[in-house]
Amino acid sequence: MSTVQEIKSAMAKLSLEERAEILADLCDWKDDDWDRQMKADATAGKFDSLDRAADQAHASNQTVPLDKILNTP
């Protein structure tokens, strides 16, 4: 990679997780105990039931768009 545009183009092809990893490296952000525990819990599947419930709620139109919540006085 020799130009900023080439780097941006390559980054656009990365997954959200890969881009977050690069950003963390560039900003020298380090995981703390909480981050490590959350990642371990996610890997162990501890959030799977919450993910399924959220997917089901969304599929049955039981969710509210975030912008509607944030714009409510």
Side-chain angles (χ1 to χ4, degrees):
M1 300 274 160
S2 59
T3 69
V4 171
Q5 188 55 45
E6 288 174 319
I7 293 169
K8 287 180 178 181
S9 178
M11 287 186 69
K13 297 174 186 172
L14 299 175
S15 69
L16 180 60
E17 291 82 8
E18 291 167 323
R19 285 182 291 192
E21 182 179 345
I22 289 175
L23 181 60
D25 287 345
L26 291 172
C27 294
D28 199 30
W29 293 334
K30 305 292 183 221
D31 284 353
D32 60 12
D33 291 341
W34 186 87
D35 294 313
R36 286 187 288 278
Q37 184 64 54
M38 290 295 287
K39 287 178 181 179
D41 288 348
T43 300
K46 291 186 177 183
F47 304 124
D48 291 352
S49 64
L50 295 173
D51 289 340
R52 282 190 299 278
D55 288 342
Q56 290 171 353
H58 182 70
S60 62
N61 295 318
Q62 296 176 346
T63 56
V64 178
L66 184 58
D67 60 342
K68 184 173 182 179
I69 295 168
L70 296 176
N71 292 329
T72 303

